[in-house]
């Protein structure tokens, strides 16, 4: 033996496990307003520090500060708050519906509502979002009918996807919402292709795509960014870093080695790191990236730094792998509370109006769920069986025709 | 009419579609300036411009994903996967995304892409440049799979595939790109000149997906083949001296079940020939369909002649390749049963 140390295998572990005190002490967070805002047409090499900062607008007193303040109309702030509250209210109600056996599955976006809502309101009606399962807020912000969502979740006779998809894997083309599939990261490249097609046609539409931080390990993530970079696709590529991929903490996806925004560096595209619980910061970063895209300056990677306050899905129990109160200790707070605080701070909101809005939203959701239940919960009513054989191909081939006949529909 | 080989016919199909439809564009590894390693896209970038025919990173999954996104936008992308063996990194995109996009979105989105890819052995390509992966596509609901066997069909099928609103995979038999091949590797190469299917008309014509071609009429046994094996089948039938009917399937999905059933009911015997490994191969599906629909007409067990159930071995390529001699033996077994 020589004097070399023996090799040892490194397996990352999160700072705290169940029973431990949640520990975010090692987290370096720039203050609100601290991170500089480059011009949208700045050259990428001049902004290589961006992935290591953090775009934050709302300070501890709920005031909008710094160069990224988007100076939004109060109307937008109200719409944003409402859509975020509606998302959470809907999530809570449908989660309970799962526990009551009314559906097979549900996933909440609790703690991440600012992301989908701000980006949905910021982008145009003709742009296209390539979503994950945790951005129902996109549809809430665009007033998608709640009953259609409920019917999809219940797979009932009114399901707009006619019983073909797991609950919440929506598709809503008219709302700029691409079809979700269960395979992680597989639509990232579709967003790039869609954006390239828009550029090829001389259109002005852009695409936005999401993956979670865990999915940055998938090959499809890297292939999509390579294409986006090479062809300067007008696309905004988002990584929602909510700290947890089911039970695996973000370190398992590489968070201990660098930031997810820094993945952009190797591809020569801007990488922004954003406080994902700050509605104004998410808006501002998205606006910056959208402007770049529309000016033919290409793609931007945005890491949305947030926390998945609930379990991964109805099939998950986060108390098994992380401290029960970790979400409450999250240093960037709760997105709804922060936007509410901001509106109150600027004199455009108060607790009374907030409580009234919350009651109204609960009634709205309750009414939609009741209407969905009247059509039927899981197994109590179904789309027309013959529809199972439609849309396999544009025109059915003999196999589909024969088998439909065999089934007697 | 001009005589073309398959490469020229495919090139001509792409050229004509690029000229006729601004929503058609072509991309893949080396397909742009260089014109593709098999030269199928030769000259298309120079003629139609950089954005109509361009090179991609070496990322098959990325190529297919990009094409799906473009298709969802409303374009008709035609992509090349350099060898069918390299399609596997893109398999998830084809299976989970392209094939199901229309279904899972209730018709809101669809992926009208065409994937061209050279397949098959006989060029000393070893394990990774020789495979025939048709069975793994035909099993996937939502994908269409076509295999031309001559220049005329190659152009007509490719145009039909590009115009189709569903994802189509076109497996191009690279062994016969430049000339037909009768399975006898020790004979001099033939050219497409003089072959009746090498007269390729100008203009847009279609060979419809789902229609088999009657290559040779006969009364005593039906041979089902596609791609390179159509030519091997002709040689084998001649050597066996049997009155065989040969169907070139051309399209595996959708499959021309009516032509198959009509032929086997007429002849009472069926021999299936394909280059891919036998177990779980497309021949198994053909055999099952024939058994289900023609049992009362069968005078002999259905025979399958196929590649062996081993990877494609470089040094033993001609032992693996199902040549005419193995077809002859199968035809005789069927006739003497």
């Amino acid at each position: 033996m020589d004097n070399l140390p023996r090799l040892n295998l490194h397996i990352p572990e999160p700072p705290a496990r169940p029973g431990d005190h949640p520990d975010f002490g090692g987290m370096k967070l720039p203050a609100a307003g601290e991170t500089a805002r480059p011009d949208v047409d700045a050259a990428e090499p001049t902004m290589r520090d961006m992935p290591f900062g953090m775009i934050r607008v709302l300070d501890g007193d709920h005031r909008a500060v710094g160069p990224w303040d988007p100076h939004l109309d109060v109307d937008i702030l109200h719409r944003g708050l409402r859509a975020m509250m509606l998302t959470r209210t809907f999530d809570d109600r449908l989660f309970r519906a799962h526990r009551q056996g009314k559906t097979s599955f549900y996933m909440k976006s609790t703690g991440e509502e600012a992301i989908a809502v701000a980006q949905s309101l910021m982008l145009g009606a003709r742009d296209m979002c390539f979503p994950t399962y945790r951005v129902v807020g996109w549809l809430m912000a665009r007033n998608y009918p709640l009953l259609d969502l409920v019917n999809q979740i219940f797979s009932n006779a009114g399901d707009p996807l006619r019983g073909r998809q797991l609950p919440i894997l929506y598709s809503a083309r008219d709302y700029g919402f691409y079809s979700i599939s269960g395979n992680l990261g597989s639509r990232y490249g579709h967003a790039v292709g869609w954006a390239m097609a828009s550029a090829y046609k001389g259109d002005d539409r852009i695409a936005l795509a999401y993956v979670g931080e865990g999915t940055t390990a998938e090959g499809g993530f890297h292939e999509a960014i390579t294409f986006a970079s090479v062809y300067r696709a007008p696309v905004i590529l988002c990584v929602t870093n909510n700290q947890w991929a089911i039970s695996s903490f973000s370190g398992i996806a590489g968070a201990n080695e660098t930031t997810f925004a820094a993945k952009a560096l190797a591809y020569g595209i801007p990488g922004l790191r954003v406080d994902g619980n700050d509605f104004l910061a998410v808006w501002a970063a998205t606006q910056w990236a959208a402007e770049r895209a529309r000016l033919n300056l290409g793609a931007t990677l945005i890491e949305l730094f947030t926390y998945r306050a609930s379990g991964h899905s109805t099939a998950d129990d986060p108390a098994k792998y992380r401290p029960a109160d970790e979400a409450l200790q999250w240093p960037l707070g709760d997105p709804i509370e922060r936007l509410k605080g901001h509106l109150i701070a600027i004199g455009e909101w108060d607790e009374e109006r907030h409580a009234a809005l919350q009651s109204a939203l609960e009634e709205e959701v309750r009414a939609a769920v009741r209407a969905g239940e009247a059509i039927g919960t899981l197994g109590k009513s179904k789309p027309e069986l013959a529809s199972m054989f439609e849309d396999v191909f544009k025109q059915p081939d003999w196999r589909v025709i024969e088998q439909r006949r065999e089934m007697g529909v | 009419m001009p005589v073309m080989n398959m490469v020229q016919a495919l090139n001509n199909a792409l050229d004509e579609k690029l000229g006729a439809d601004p929503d058609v564009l072509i991309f893949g590894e080396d397909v742009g300036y260089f014109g593709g390693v098999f030269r199928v896209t030769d000259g298309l970038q120079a003629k139609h411009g950089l954005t109509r025919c361009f090179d991609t990173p070496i990322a098959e999954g990325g190529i297919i994903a990009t094409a799906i996104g473009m298709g969802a936008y409303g374009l008709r992308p035609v992509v090349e996967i350099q060898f069918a063996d390299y399609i596997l990194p893109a398999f998830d995109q084809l299976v989970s995304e392209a094939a199901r996009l229309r279904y899972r979105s209730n018709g809101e989105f669809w992926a009208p892409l065409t994937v061209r890819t050279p397949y098959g052995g006989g060029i000393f390509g070893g394990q990774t440049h020789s495979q025939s992966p048709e069975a793994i596509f035909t099993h996937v609901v939502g994908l269409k799979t076509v295999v031309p066997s001559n220049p005329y069909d190659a152009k007509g099928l490719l145009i039909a595939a590009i115009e189709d609103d569903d994802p189509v995979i076109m497996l191009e038999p690279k062994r016969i790109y430049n000339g037909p091949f009768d399975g006898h590797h020790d004979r001099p190469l033939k050219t497409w000149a003089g072959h009746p299917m090498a007269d390729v008309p100008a203009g847009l014509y279609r060979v419809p997906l789902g229609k088999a071609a009657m290559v040779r009429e006969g009364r005593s046994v039906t041979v089902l083949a596609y791609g390179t094996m159509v030519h091997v089948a002709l040689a084998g039938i001649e050597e066996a001296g049997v009155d065989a009917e040969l169907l070139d399937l051309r399209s595996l999905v959708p499959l021309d079940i009516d032509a198959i059933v009509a032929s086997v009911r007429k002849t009472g015997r069926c021999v299936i020939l394909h280059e891919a490994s036998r177990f779980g191969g497309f021949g198994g599906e053909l055999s099952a369909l024939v058994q289900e629909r023609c049992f009362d007409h069968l005078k002999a067990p259905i025979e399958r002649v196929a590649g062996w159930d081993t990877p494609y071995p470089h040094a033993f390529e001609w032992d693996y390749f199902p040549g005419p001699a193995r077809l002859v033996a199968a035809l005789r077994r069927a006739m003497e049963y």
Side-chain angles (χ1 to χ4, degrees):
Chain A
M1 287 287 282
D2 53 29
N3 289 329
L4 286 172
R6 291 175 74 88
L7 295 172
N8 61 71
L9 179 63
H10 172 67
I11 310 288
E13 270 288 286
R17 286 297 194 186
D20 297 337
H21 179 68
D23 181 8
F24 293 110
M27 195 175 281
K28 226 180 97 190
L29 295 172
E34 185 181 315
T35 299
R37 183 183 187 281
D39 292 336
V40 291
D41 59 353
E44 183 274 333
T46 65
M47 45 179 133
R48 289 188 179 160
D49 55 337
M50 295 299 291
F52 306 102
M54 188 175 289
I55 296 167
R56 303 181 62 201
V57 174
L58 291 172
D59 68 12
D61 299 323
H62 304 303
R63 296 281 172 184
V65 296
W68 287 92
D69 178 6
H71 301 287
L72 294 180
D73 289 346
V74 171
D75 171 54
I76 294 284
L77 299 177
H78 279 146
R79 284 169 62 194
L81 182 68
R82 183 186 191 282
M84 287 161 65
M85 291 168 68
L86 178 58
T87 302
R88 188 168 295 183
T89 306
F90 187 85
D91 273 351
D92 289 343
R93 183 66 191 79
L94 272 297
F95 189 89
R96 286 205 306 280
H98 171 265
R99 294 304 191 227
Q100 294 161 351
K102 292 173 182 169
T103 182
S104 61
F105 186 71
Y106 195 76
M107 298 174 101
K108 299 164 79 172
S109 36
T110 313
E112 305 176 34
E113 294 91 341
I115 294 166
V117 170
Q119 297 193 307
S120 178
L121 290 174
M122 197 279 123
L123 286 182
R126 297 177 69 251
D127 298 325
M128 186 64 74
C129 162
F130 292 73
T132 62
Y133 39 68
R134 230 179 284 284
V135 292
V136 68
W138 180 282
L139 295 171
M140 299 298 183
R142 295 184 177 206
N143 300 315
Y144 186 86
L146 294 187
L147 178 57
D148 286 353
L149 296 178
V150 173
N151 288 338
Q152 200 279 325
I153 292 161
F154 289 169
S155 294
N156 64 19
D159 178 357
L161 301 182
R162 297 200 282 180
R164 295 170 182 172
Q165 279 273 48
L166 200 64
I168 78 165
L169 298 190
Y170 312 114
S171 177
R173 186 182 183 125
D174 291 344
Y175 294 77
F177 196 88
Y178 187 75
S179 156
I180 305 177
S181 80
N183 295 26
L184 294 178
S186 58
R187 279 88 59 228
Y188 226 46
H190 301 190
V192 174
W194 194 95
M196 287 171 66
S198 177
Y200 170 83
K201 293 294 280 183
D203 205 343
D204 61 358
R205 309 167 73 185
I206 64 172
L208 177 144
Y210 296 99
V211 290
E213 87 284 350
T215 302
T216 59
E218 289 276 8
F221 171 82
H222 298 277
E223 291 176 345
I225 302 189
T226 301
F227 278 66
S229 165
V230 167
Y231 302 112
R232 295 190 191 160
V235 62
I236 304 171
L237 297 169
C238 300
V239 176
T240 303
N241 176 6
N242 68 12
Q243 313 302 319
W244 292 95
I246 307 188
S247 71
S248 300
F249 87 117
S250 59
I252 291 294
N256 291 356
E257 318 308 319
T258 189
T259 71
F260 294 99
K263 307 281 181 196
L265 294 175
Y267 298 94
I269 63 173
L272 308 181
R273 194 154 173 261
V274 180
D275 177 349
N277 290 12
D278 179 341
F279 181 89
L280 298 178
V282 175
W283 179 292
T286 309
Q287 187 175 39
W288 187 91
E291 207 175 325
R292 264 186 81 85
R294 289 191 215 280
L295 290 171
N296 280 312
L297 295 166
T300 301
L301 182 70
I302 301 180
E303 175 184 350
L304 298 147
F305 197 71
T306 183
Y307 186 87
R308 193 198 76 207
S310 293
H312 169 72
S313 72
T314 42
D316 178 38
D317 176 8
K320 294 269 197 289
Y321 53 80
R322 68 185 188 190
D325 60 341
E326 196 177 79
L328 297 172
Q329 305 298 322
W330 180 245
L332 294 173
D334 177 89
I336 294 178
E337 290 302 314
R338 287 175 69 191
L339 186 56
K340 171 190 169 190
H342 176 61
L343 275 163
I344 291 173
I346 61 174
E348 296 289 349
W349 201 239
D350 53 56
E351 292 289 354
E352 216 166 276
R353 288 160 79 187
H354 194 83
L357 176 58
Q358 182 60 40
S359 299
L361 294 175
E362 279 167 16
E363 184 44 44
E364 198 177 322
V365 170
R366 203 177 298 127
V369 171
R370 266 202 301 264
E373 286 171 348
I375 298 170
T377 54
L378 181 67
K380 301 289 195 301
S381 86
K382 282 182 184 177
E384 197 189 344
L385 184 56
S387 72
M388 185 173 97
F389 293 99
E390 293 168 15
D391 297 315
V392 178
F393 296 107
K394 187 177 183 187
Q395 304 293 338
D397 73 6
W398 57 267
R399 299 173 298 170
V400 176
I401 294 166
E402 283 186 4
Q403 288 165 23
R404 178 173 163 175
R405 201 179 299 135
E406 189 179 331
M407 200 180 209
V409 289
Chain B
M1 287 193 289
V3 171
M4 292 188 190
N5 63 29
M6 285 186 78
V7 171
Q8 292 163 328
L10 291 161
N11 179 275
N12 183 243
L14 295 170
D15 185 19
E16 301 230 19
K17 281 307 294 179
L18 284 172
D21 185 351
D23 288 340
V24 171
L25 73 172
I26 295 166
F27 53 98
E29 295 158 19
D30 301 305
V31 303
Y33 183 83
F34 179 58
V37 294
F38 289 101
R39 319 302 300 147
V40 172
T41 56
D42 190 30
L44 297 179
Q45 184 180 80
K47 181 172 174 183
H48 296 281
L50 270 174
T51 62
R52 305 298 305 282
C53 178
F54 57 87
D55 294 323
T56 62
I58 303 172
E60 289 78 9
I63 292 168
I64 302 295
T66 303
I68 294 169
M70 287 182 166
Y73 181 93
L75 302 183
R76 293 192 177 277
V78 185
V79 300
E80 178 178 303
I81 299 294
Q82 207 157 67
F83 286 89
D85 313 70
Y86 301 148
I87 217 160
L88 296 178
F91 199 50
D92 181 50
Q93 285 293 339
L94 290 168
V95 175
S96 310
E97 302 296 332
R100 292 192 212 144
L101 185 57
R102 182 190 298 280
Y103 192 78
R104 74 165 191 247
S105 70
N106 194 32
E108 286 195 332
F109 298 95
W110 60 95
L113 70 153
T114 302
V115 183
R116 295 182 33 251
T117 187
Y119 87 100
I123 62 156
F124 282 109
Q127 292 173 35
T128 55
H129 299 77
S130 304
Q131 295 167 83
S132 300
E134 64 272 18
I136 62 176
F137 298 120
T138 56
H139 185 62
V140 176
V141 173
L143 295 180
K144 294 179 176 175
T145 304
V146 300
V147 194
S149 71
N150 59 66
Y152 180 93
D153 286 353
K155 178 175 173 181
L157 275 175
L158 181 52
I159 290 168
I162 294 169
E163 293 174 353
D164 198 277
D165 285 330
D166 294 310
V168 182
I169 295 167
M170 180 183 239
L171 295 168
E172 298 172 0
K174 57 183 177 287
R175 184 65 184 78
I176 56 171
Y177 264 156
N178 295 307
F181 174 66
D182 62 7
H184 291 283
H185 62 94
D186 47 352
R187 292 183 190 168
L189 281 178
K190 293 185 194 165
T191 73
W192 281 105
H195 193 284
M197 299 303 281
D199 284 335
V200 177
L204 294 172
Y205 67 89
R206 287 100 192 152
V207 171
L209 310 187
K211 288 287 172 205
M214 178 74 77
V215 180
R216 184 191 196 282
E217 287 195 51
R219 282 168 300 179
S220 56
V221 57
T222 296
V223 177
L224 304 177
Y226 46 92
T228 305
M229 289 296 124
V230 171
H231 303 269
V232 175
L234 272 173
I237 291 166
E238 195 179 314
E239 288 169 31
V242 294
D243 184 19
E245 182 149 296
L246 173 59
L247 281 183
D248 174 359
L249 298 180
R250 296 198 292 201
S251 171
L252 308 186
V253 174
L255 181 70
D256 191 348
I257 189 66
D258 294 340
I260 295 169
V261 168
S263 178
V264 177
R265 286 186 176 176
K266 180 174 82 174
T267 64
R269 296 181 179 87
C270 181
V271 177
I272 298 157
L273 175 63
H274 66 58
E275 192 178 337
S277 300
R278 185 161 60 195
F279 189 89
F282 191 65
E285 181 59 41
L286 292 172
S287 175
L289 287 167
V290 168
Q291 188 276 137
E292 285 164 4
R293 288 157 198 253
C294 307
F295 184 76
D296 289 343
H297 298 77
L298 286 175
K299 300 171 192 160
I302 300 161
E303 290 274 350
R304 282 186 291 162
V305 178
W308 305 119
D309 290 313
T310 71
Y312 217 116
H314 186 247
F316 304 114
E317 189 175 53
W318 298 116
D319 302 285
Y320 179 96
F321 193 89
R326 289 175 55 203
L327 178 62
V328 168
L331 288 169
R332 291 198 174 135
R333 280 196 302 275
M335 294 306 297
E336 290 162 9
Y337 181 79

